[in-house]
């Protein structure tokens, strides 16, 4: 799953869930990071803050939005309610954070071949299709999901038999034994914007924009908008992206801010905002 970590990732706090094999590679890749390890086993690792608990049954002892990344193989395979775990992990991730995990593909030829012989050993395990897992993540407050296949090819006669029996092999799915997953809290472009200013600044800006949008003490709100822009060094592209993602009634907002402003950069902000595509409501910069 470390293939999903790019040179642009800067992880300061990382949580590893049960998968101790990732501890050393992560230490080498992020030598300055704080690495935390959650496990039900009685083990210790140097330079790693270890917490002994069962993540499937016990709440993790961390603050909200604490981690840049959570990493763990097959974390939803043996759980009672997978969406509770997936959504729970998301609350511990920063707005710019990601969850790296994997799942076993129920459509892999080995699973289907055993079922055709009346054999199935996954009585206490949850197996997923790619579509099902993606839907689960989007329902658990992740905004972008990327997957990589780990394949184990079948003998040609078995693949042919499955296809003849009516199993579609879209994206070579029948040959994919595991899917590796990176689920991000935010879309990449919004994650970048969120990383530039604190949640408090973003909350203040959002509140002021809504006051302008809905004609609440408009002149004073426009004044505070420009004061915040100047005080925090909010640049034109950022202001435009924020307006585009937060303001629903942009025509009324533009009319109000133009009425009570004489700032030259206002026209540029409006032009940039209107040239951007619409962000989904769930991706707002609050």
């Amino acid at each position: 799953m470390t293939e999903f970590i790019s040179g642009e990732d800067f992880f300061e706090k990382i949580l590893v869930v049960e998968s101790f094999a990732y501890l050393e590679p992560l230490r080498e890749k992020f030598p300055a990071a704080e690495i935390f390890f959650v496990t039900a086993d009685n083990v210790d690792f140097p330079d790693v803050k270890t917490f002994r608990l069962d993540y499937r049954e016990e709440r993790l002892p961390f603050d909200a939005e604490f981690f840049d990344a959570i990493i763990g193989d097959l974390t939803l395979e043996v759980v009672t309610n997978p969406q509770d775990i997936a959504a729970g992990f998301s609350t511990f991730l920063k707005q710019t954070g990601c969850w790296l995990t994997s799942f076993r593909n129920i459509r892999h030829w080995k699973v289907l071949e055993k079922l055709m012989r009346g054999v199935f050993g996954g009585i206490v395990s949850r197996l997923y299709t790619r579509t099902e897992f993606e839907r689960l993540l989007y329902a658990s407050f992740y905004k972008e999901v990327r997957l990589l296949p780990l394949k184990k090819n079948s003998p040609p006669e078995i693949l042919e038999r499955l296809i003849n029996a009516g199993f579609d092999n879209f994206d070579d799915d029948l040959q994919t034994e595991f899917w590796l997953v990176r689920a991000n809290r935010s879309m990449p472009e919004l994650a970048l914007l969120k990383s530039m200013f604190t949640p408090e600044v973003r909350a203040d800006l959002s509140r002021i924009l809504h006051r302008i949008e809905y004609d609440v003490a408009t002149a004073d709100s426009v004044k505070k908008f420009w004061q915040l822009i100047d005080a925090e060094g909010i640049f034109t592209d950022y202001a435009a992206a924020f307006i585009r993602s937060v303001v629903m009634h942009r025509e009324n907002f533009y009319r109000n801010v133009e009425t009570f402003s004489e700032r030259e950069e206002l026209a540029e902000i409006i032009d940039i905002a209107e040239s951007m595509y619409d962000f989904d409501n769930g991706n707002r910069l609050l």
Side-chain angles (χ1 to χ4, degrees), residues 48-67:
V48 175
K49 298 177 181 178
T50 302
F51 295 81
R52 293 187 182 85
L53 58 86
D54 187 339
Y55 74 94
R56 300 167 301 178
E57 304 292 339
E58 302 172 69
R59 178 175 172 80
L60 300 181
F62 308 108
D63 294 331
E65 299 191 5
F66 186 75
F67 293 107

Side-chain angles (χ1 to χ4, degrees), residues 1-222:
M1 291 189 297
T2 55
E3 291 184 30
F4 274 124
I5 300 176
S6 70
E8 298 176 356
D9 288 318
F10 181 71
F11 297 157
E12 295 180 304
K13 291 183 173 63
I14 304 170
L15 174 64
V16 178
V17 179
E18 292 291 353
S19 303
F20 66 87
Y22 289 108
L23 294 175
E24 188 58 32
L26 288 169
R27 172 59 67 216
E28 293 177 2
K29 196 171 188 66
F30 301 100
E34 286 186 87
I35 299 180
F36 300 76
F37 183 49
V38 166
T39 178
D41 296 330
N42 187 23
V43 294
D44 280 305
F45 296 92
D47 301 322
V48 175
K49 298 177 181 178
T50 302
F51 295 81
R52 293 187 182 85
L53 58 86
D54 187 339
Y55 74 94
R56 300 167 301 178
E57 304 292 339
E58 302 172 69
R59 178 175 172 80
L60 300 181
F62 308 108
D63 294 331
E65 299 191 5
F66 186 75
F67 293 107
D68 298 285
I70 297 175
I71 300 176
D73 278 317
L74 305 175
T75 41
L76 299 187
E77 184 165 281
V78 187
V79 295
T80 302
N81 190 327
Q83 188 169 345
D84 281 355
I85 302 297
F89 282 162
S90 74
T91 65
F92 296 108
L93 287 171
K94 298 176 182 177
Q95 291 290 319
T96 54
C98 64
W99 176 28
L100 305 180
T101 190
S102 60
F103 65 92
R104 204 180 307 268
N105 181 22
I106 198 171
R107 298 189 77 252
H108 186 240
W109 67 269
K110 288 179 66 177
V111 177
L112 299 178
E113 191 270 338
K114 287 180 180 179
L115 285 172
M116 292 171 72
R117 291 190 286 108
V119 177
F120 184 66
I123 303 302
V124 296
S125 300
R126 289 180 177 271
L127 278 69
Y128 303 86
T129 65
R130 173 178 179 170
T131 300
E132 179 188 9
F133 204 86
E134 286 178 318
R135 286 174 178 168
L136 185 154
L137 292 177
Y138 286 124
S140 303
F141 314 114
Y142 298 92
K143 303 306 180 187
E144 186 202 36
V145 177
R146 286 185 281 156
L147 297 99
L148 284 176
L150 280 183
K151 296 184 178 182
K152 186 170 185 179
N153 292 338
S154 70
E157 64 275 11
I158 293 180
L159 182 62
E160 183 179 358
R161 182 182 177 192
L162 289 171
I163 292 174
N164 290 338
F167 288 94
D168 292 332
N169 191 27
F170 50 85
D171 296 329
D172 210 21
D173 194 47
L174 297 178
Q175 307 274 40
T176 300
E177 187 171 15
F178 297 93
W179 285 101
L180 308 181
V181 184
R182 175 167 175 153
N184 294 325
R185 279 287 309 269
S186 301
M187 298 292 286
E189 60 272 16
L190 293 179
L192 178 61
L193 292 175
K194 289 176 180 180
S195 69
M196 293 178 181
F197 296 95
T198 66
E200 292 75 20
V201 170
R202 298 199 305 270
D204 285 345
L205 182 55
S206 178
R207 177 179 53 79
I208 291 169
L209 294 182
H210 285 311
R211 287 173 66 85
I212 298 171
E213 177 184 8
Y214 293 106
D215 306 300
V216 179
T218 311
D220 183 61
S221 297
V222 171

